[in-house]
Amino acid sequence: MPDRSCPRVTEREVIHKGRKFNFERVNLAPRGETPVWREVVRHPGAVCILPLLRDGYSGEDRVVMIRNHRFAIGGTDGSTLWELPAGTREPGEPAETTAKRELIEEAGYEAGSIEPLLSFYTTPGMTDERMDAMLATDLTEVGQRLEEDERIEVRVLGAAETMAMIDRGEILDGKTVTTLLFAARKALMRVGEDADVR
């Protein structure tokens, strides 16, 4: 019977150095079996920001969401997704610094307070990207500072509506679903009474 212990990396080869991440081939040698090559995206990490407006609106929080054009999905023209603001960390950059920058850049809000929510691996089958989700409150609208290739529209939605959108399959972005559900389940986001967050 073959040994099912974890294979060890015996060789690495950088195939492509990108602007934000690298693409690498890795040779895995399972004990007693033939070595195999796998590809992996090496990523410096990222943040996802949950920006909440807490002004007593209908007894629940409002969520600053974005409609983000993503060229990687939806065929030759890409597609637009409902998302929370997010962005890639610079090497060695604290998550809070990234969150503050990306919140202004993508959503046009500055946060008076940013707190960590949770961390998770986005797609461990193909990348080592680890994402930190952050809660942003005490928001001031300052205007977007989009990069040249970004096409992002800002929308403010009630927290209960975001839960309903998840249920209806309208929010398909994994980091957004994970962060919204975590915040609702932990009662870190005030959701209207009609929303089911079990």
Side-chain angles (χ1 to χ4, degrees):
M1 184 171 180
D3 182 354
R4 294 300 180 190
S5 57
C6 292
R8 55 194 172 83
V9 176
T10 59
E11 199 175 343
R12 297 176 186 274
E13 174 190 357
V14 176
I15 299 172
H16 174 74
K17 286 194 173 214
R19 185 170 65 94
K20 292 191 175 183
F21 48 81
N22 295 335
F23 192 58
E24 187 176 87
R25 285 180 79 224
V26 177
N27 194 342
L28 301 175
R31 289 179 174 82
E33 296 182 29
T34 305
V36 293
W37 285 95
R38 295 286 185 257
E39 291 78 33
V40 63
V41 175
R42 297 297 183 194
H43 198 285
V47 298
C48 175
I49 308 107
L50 173 56
L52 296 181
L53 291 166
R54 294 183 158 162
D55 55 9
Y57 170 80
S58 299
E60 70 173 345
D61 291 329
R62 291 183 295 156
V63 183
V64 179
M65 299 281 293
I66 60 174
R67 293 280 288 161
N68 196 359
H69 184 265
R70 295 295 192 180
F71 73 89
I73 62 170
T76 56
D77 296 328
S79 188
T80 302
L81 293 179
W82 283 104
E83 298 182 25
L84 290 172
T88 301
R89 295 169 72 168
E90 297 294 334
E93 182 176 56
E96 183 177 335
T97 302
T98 310
K100 286 180 177 179
R101 180 185 65 245
E102 295 295 333
L103 180 59
I104 293 171
E105 181 182 300
E106 293 191 349
Y109 282 85
E110 188 170 32
S113 174
I114 293 190
E115 306 168 41
L117 287 177
L118 76 156
S119 294
F120 52 91
Y121 289 101
T122 59
T123 318
M126 60 168 282
T127 179
D128 61 357
E129 179 185 14
R130 187 178 174 120
M131 182 165 277
D132 293 299
M134 313 291 284
L135 174 65
T137 55
D138 190 17
L139 303 181
T140 303
E141 192 169 3
V142 295
Q144 288 175 296
R145 299 176 189 167
L146 297 176
E147 294 183 12
E148 190 174 336
D149 63 336
E150 290 179 316
R151 302 292 179 270
I152 296 174
E153 179 185 348
V154 180
R155 300 271 186 90
V156 177
L157 303 173
E161 177 60 14
T162 66
M163 295 296 103
M165 291 169 71
I166 291 172
D167 290 342
R168 294 192 300 259
E170 294 171 13
I171 298 178
L172 298 175
D173 176 60
K175 68 181 181 296
T176 299
V177 172
T178 299
T179 302
L180 287 169
L181 290 178
F182 179 86
R185 289 287 303 275
K186 293 289 188 179
L188 301 170
M189 176 174 69
R190 294 179 302 178
V191 180
E193 293 180 5
D194 294 337
D196 184 357
V197 294
R198 289 175 294 170

